Amino acid sequence: MENQQTSDKTAEKFTWTVKNFSKLSSKLYSENFFIGGHPWRIFMFPKGNNVDYLSIYLDAGDSANLPYGWSIFAKFKLSLINKVKSNMTKTKETEHEFNARENDWGFTAFIPLHEILDPSKGFIVDDTCIIEAEIFVTKREHENQVDQAAKTATVAPVSTQVNAVSDNPSPMEMSSTSLGELIDFRGLGKIEQAFVPLLEEVCSRHPSLIECQQKRSRRFIEWAFTALGRVLHFLKTKKVKDMNDVLFMHLQVLWEELETFKFDLTWLEPHVQSALGMKSYMERAAEVKKMKDNVAAREMEIKRLKAKMAAAEIDLEIAKRDLVKAEEGFEERDLDGELGYEA
């Protein structure tokens, strides 16, 4: 492992070599590894977690034996190493506060299955692939308090923890920022409070959104409507002037995530594509502004040069007048002639 560590921060990599990939069918866990004094493990769905993508997640290992109220915040990258062209390695990055309710986080749609299975792509060589996790753990104040409490508390399994990897998809790259408490949404599951009014509005107009999910598991439905809520909340709260490369990328990730849940999104797609299309508009606008600034700068330079030219012309006229005065009564001599003398 590669390791960089300070008193409250740890950044470290773990490499997982997965052999006999073609023979794998169900989810597979890596061995446990420790970063920041915490156990972790990677797990994946080689045939996809209900999607036609390789699904990869990071799991807070041994969470059942952690003290009540535990949580740990981590930024992390998951990479599928390209063994033919290293610059083609597929990497996705996110962050999450791991706790008993959400003890795993990652990417349901990491890479299309047809792409990883294509021998020419270089992700699988000799039926072996390599997955790498780079984790940056930050120990927050409340985590320090939990650690301190754990020294004196009796460790017991957390009865309310969720097994997020049974037959239900975990989220793909999602923001871990909480927008409010979780509340019930039409008896389908718990959704972040800020999303519910937006979901109520669109589900009233498009009943198929609920109909297409009714045969799914409760966990799947919660993730599906959370993904929809994130896109709606993004479009509702962001202004054109707020958009930058990071937000455009974030919206693209949210949209790709939402598409994996198989909603009928024909009504929403034009709005998302329009928002994503704003990137080209803003890039063009920035280019036009740059050109305008360039023209303005050149115009200022021309004005400066014209003023300098006018001053030079005045100096020339003065010099000419001085020359005329100097030439009055001035007799020119042959400078090539001899000075001479009389004998």
Side-chain angles (χ1 to χ4, degrees):
M1 286 190 189
E2 298 178 14
N3 179 268
Q4 295 178 343
Q5 189 167 4
T6 65
S7 59
D8 289 324
K9 300 177 181 179
T10 301
E12 193 169 342
K13 292 181 181 180
F14 171 78
T15 301
W16 182 26
T17 300
V18 182
K19 298 181 179 180
N20 300 316
F21 187 88
S22 62
K23 298 178 182 179
L24 303 176
S25 57
S26 58
K27 69 184 179 189
L28 183 68
Y29 286 89
S30 74
E31 63 191 81
N32 280 348
F33 56 94
F34 284 80
I35 294 179
H38 187 86
W40 304 93
R41 58 182 177 173
I42 308 169
F43 71 95
M44 71 168 180
F45 290 80
K47 303 300 183 184
N49 191 3
N50 295 324
V51 293
D52 294 327
Y53 289 78
L54 178 68
S55 304
I56 309 177
Y57 309 94
L58 179 66
D59 177 76
D62 198 27
S63 58
N65 291 320
L66 291 172
Y68 177 79
W70 72 272
S71 68
I72 186 166
F73 179 82
K75 294 181 179 181
F76 63 92
K77 298 178 183 179
L78 293 174
S79 299
L80 178 64
I81 305 301
N82 191 302
K83 298 198 283 187
V84 176
K85 297 180 179 179
S86 60
N87 63 335
M88 298 300 290
T89 289
K90 185 77 169 179
T91 299
K92 291 196 174 185
E93 181 175 359
T94 187
E95 59 184 42
H96 182 58
E97 184 159 357
F98 293 83
N99 52 53
R101 190 174 69 85
E102 293 180 340
N103 62 339
D104 64 78
W105 200 256
F107 307 90
T108 298
F110 191 88
I111 186 174
L113 291 177
H114 68 81
E115 188 171 342
I116 186 176
L117 295 175
D118 185 344
S120 67
K121 298 295 184 180
F123 293 109
I124 298 179
V125 176
D126 295 330
D127 206 21
T128 299
C129 70
I130 297 175
I131 298 172
E132 183 179 88
E134 182 177 6
I135 307 173
F136 187 88
V137 177
T138 301
K139 207 167 193 180
R140 293 179 170 175
E141 181 178 355
H142 73 272
E143 291 165 12
N144 289 324
Q145 294 171 351
V146 168
D147 289 347
Q148 185 63 33
K151 294 178 181 179
T152 56
T154 301
V155 177
V158 181
S159 60
T160 58
Q161 75 173 12
V162 178
N163 182 4
V165 296
S166 54
D167 61 347
N168 304 304
S170 292
M172 284 146 285
E173 186 175 359
M174 288 184 174
S175 168
S176 63
T177 302
S178 176
L179 297 174
E181 64 177 317
L182 300 180
I183 63 174
D184 182 72
F185 173 61
R186 296 196 178 192
L188 298 172
K190 299 289 186 179
I191 308 295
E192 291 189 34
Q193 188 174 22
F195 299 159
V196 171
L198 305 176
L199 293 171
E200 288 286 2
E201 180 183 9
V202 298
C203 288
S204 295
R205 294 182 181 180
H206 307 280
S208 65
L209 292 172
I210 292 179
E211 293 169 0
C212 72
Q213 300 293 340
Q214 286 180 337
K215 294 183 180 180
R216 301 284 191 176
S217 68
R218 183 181 179 87
R219 187 69 190 277
F220 187 99
I221 293 173
E222 287 178 340
W223 284 128
F225 281 103
T226 295
L228 178 56
R230 290 186 188 279
V231 173
L232 297 176
H233 190 270
F234 186 100
L235 296 175
K236 195 75 172 178
T237 58
K238 294 295 183 290
K239 294 182 172 25
V240 173
K241 66 180 181 180
D242 298 330
M243 298 302 288
N244 53 36
D245 287 343
V246 173
L247 289 178
F248 280 121
M249 184 180 297
H250 184 54
L251 177 59
Q252 182 67 50
V253 169
L254 292 179
W255 177 246
E256 291 176 357
E257 169 199 5
L258 178 58
E259 287 183 310
T260 65
F261 289 102
K262 308 302 182 184
F263 285 113
D264 179 2
L265 299 171
T266 53
W267 57 276
L268 181 60
E269 184 172 11
H271 301 284
V272 174
Q273 296 305 328
S274 175
L276 292 173
M278 289 300 296
K279 181 177 183 181
S280 298
Y281 168 81
M282 293 184 72
E283 288 175 347
R284 184 69 181 274
E287 183 180 351
V288 170
K289 183 179 183 303
K290 184 178 179 180
M291 294 173 70
K292 284 182 177 180
D293 291 343
N294 186 41
V295 169
R298 291 178 181 273
E299 288 176 342
M300 289 294 293
E301 180 66 10
I302 288 174
K303 288 180 180 179
R304 187 186 68 81
L305 292 174
K306 283 182 176 180
K308 188 175 182 180
M309 177 69 76
E313 288 176 348
I314 293 173
D315 291 342
L316 176 61
E317 290 301 320
I318 293 173
K320 285 180 177 179
R321 288 198 297 267
D322 291 344
L323 175 61
V324 169
K325 289 180 181 179
E327 287 179 336
E328 291 178 358
F330 178 74
E331 181 182 349
E332 291 190 5
R333 296 184 180 184
D334 183 7
L335 299 179
D336 292 327
E338 291 182 356
L339 294 175
Y341 64 92
E342 291 183 6

